[in-house]
Amino acid sequence: QQIESEKWTLASLLFDSFSQPLLAGVRSSAATARQLVYEAEDLVVDLRFDRLVPSGTVSAVGQILDKRVPRELLSGSPVVVWTDDGQLVATTDANGSGEFQLEFAPLDRLRLTARVGRRRVHIPLTNLK
């Protein structure tokens, strides 16, 4: 029996709220939330990061959507945050709507992985500190 090796697809960044210009007349932004949207293998991953006070941990709220089958139940799809050297930081499973929530320390060089069926998505998490 041949075991299929895992193939992870690097997601492409479609949107980053930090790259949006400030509104006219606004001198600085005190926004604490960051919105990111990624896409890979017809999966869209919408993420929102907030810094929790006073702990300093990061709250990540997200949703995985399948563009091919919009109403596909995604319950139980694992979502994991790792360090670059493979240490587990946080893990959860998406609910039936593909929604998930994680809290973790804002470390350097983290990555988020999500698995939906046979599709596996890899998202580098940068500038969370």
Side-chain angles (χ1 to χ4, degrees):
Q1 179 182 12
Q2 187 173 2
I3 298 174
E4 178 185 339
S5 64
E6 287 195 347
K7 177 181 170 268
W8 292 90
T9 301
L10 183 60
S12 300
L13 179 64
L14 299 178
F15 174 80
D16 183 349
S17 62
F18 276 13
S19 67
Q20 300 300 304
L22 295 176
L23 298 173
V26 176
R27 291 178 184 234
S28 68
S29 175
T32 58
R34 182 178 188 187
Q35 189 81 27
L36 298 156
V37 179
Y38 289 90
E39 181 179 22
E41 292 195 3
D42 291 320
L43 295 175
V44 175
V45 182
D46 186 355
L47 296 167
R48 177 188 167 107
F49 295 100
D50 289 287
R51 183 63 64 98
L52 301 177
V53 178
S55 68
T57 59
V58 173
S59 170
V61 177
Q63 184 174 25
I64 306 167
L65 299 169
D66 188 336
K67 290 180 9 179
R68 293 183 301 182
V69 188
R71 301 202 185 281
E72 178 182 3
L73 287 180
L74 301 170
S75 182
S77 296
V79 179
V80 181
V81 175
W82 308 86
T83 62
D84 263 1
D85 61 0
Q87 293 187 20
L88 178 68
V89 174
T91 185
T92 191
D93 290 333
N95 67 17
S97 299
E99 300 166 329
F100 59 89
Q101 182 172 2
L102 297 158
E103 287 184 20
F104 52 90
L107 303 171
D108 284 328
R109 296 171 40 180
L110 294 176
R111 59 189 162 123
L112 182 141
T113 58
R115 182 182 311 205
V116 177
R118 299 183 67 145
R119 292 173 289 171
R120 297 165 179 90
V121 180
H122 171 91
I123 299 171
L125 302 179
T126 58
N127 301 322
L128 295 180
K129 282 192 170 188

